[in-house]
Amino acid sequence: MRNLDETTITQAVIARHAKTTNRRLKTVMTSLVRHLHGFAREVDLTEAEWVAGIEFLTAVGHTCSPTRQEFILLSDTLGLSTLVAAQNHRKPVGCTEATVFGPFHVEGSPERPLGADVANGAEGEPCFVRGSIRGLAGEPVAGAVIEVWQADAKGLYDVQYEAFDEHRARATLRSAPDGGYHFLGIVATPYPIPHDGPVGQLLDALNRHPWRPAHLHFRISAPGYETLVTHVFRDGDPYLDSDAVFGVRSSLVADWVHHEGGPAPDGRMLDTPFSTLDFDFVLNPARKEG
């Protein structure tokens, strides 16, 4: 162990894991060491590049805050978030597909009744969203917890504003006895992910854009079903095929139907433009233990 070199160091580190009692930790760390060392050998990593990598990860950590998760952003832009989501949320045909969580979910968003204006003053064209929550066999899922959040017309989430004082374009609702849901939000628009930090600098260096196609976030949970984390994307968006975080699925692309005015889904007459979005979700039954 005293005369290690570039050909023997990997096995020496792995051997140190021999007494690890947590089998899963041992598996993960052994593989991590093997792949990290393999990466360094494959690219013939220089000391200067190693230092730059350490400095980059340090900068990512320093950029994190209670309202910004730069490490999730990094994971998203490297496609790792999508890979992990795909591996962990394989679903039968007919279920709504999962996609990335994103860095701007907030636990404990305000509960609103069905039909509420969840925009709560967020800038954007009004959009009436409606649909149903059902199980794979077609059964309605009553009382499902529906968390919804989105960026405003400026491409910002409520928590990104310095003067943040209350939640906007973000709420928690519960599906009706027939599984239906409806609320008033705003039209989704494309926006760039935060690119004023180290992840943005990396994208610039790679000649990649930071834009996400217009979308609405959902997290839906109900007893007896797997929790669904997904987006609904706006059809026709120019970034559907180059999403900066690789989150688009064809099955999650839907029409936002524009109306110049007239009768709205909630019975009101509007003399200003608005849109409607209809989207149904199908949940996968929870796996039985044992």
Side-chain angles (χ1 to χ4, degrees), residues 61 80 99 101 104 107 116 119 135 142 174 185 218 231 245 254 271 279 283:
L80 181 60
T99 189
F101 199 27
F104 291 109
E107 295 289 348
R174 293 180 184 271
F218 285 88
H231 301 3
V245 308
D271 56 9
F279 199 88
L283 304 184

Side-chain angles (χ1 to χ4, degrees), residues 10 28-42:
T10 303
V28 170
M29 290 306 300
T30 296
S31 182
L32 178 64
V33 168
R34 187 176 289 121
H35 283 281
L36 275 177
H37 287 211
F39 155 74
R41 291 188 179 96
E42 180 179 333

Side-chain angles (χ1 to χ4, degrees), residues 84 99 114 119 162:
V84 172
T99 189
L114 286 176
E162 285 188 22

Side-chain angles (χ1 to χ4, degrees), residues 219-241:
R219 182 167 77 168
I220 303 172
S221 56
Y225 298 90
E226 293 180 358
T227 295
L228 172 66
V229 174
T230 195
H231 301 3
V232 179
F233 294 90
R234 187 178 176 188
D235 197 15
D237 190 281
Y239 298 106
L240 284 174
D241 294 315

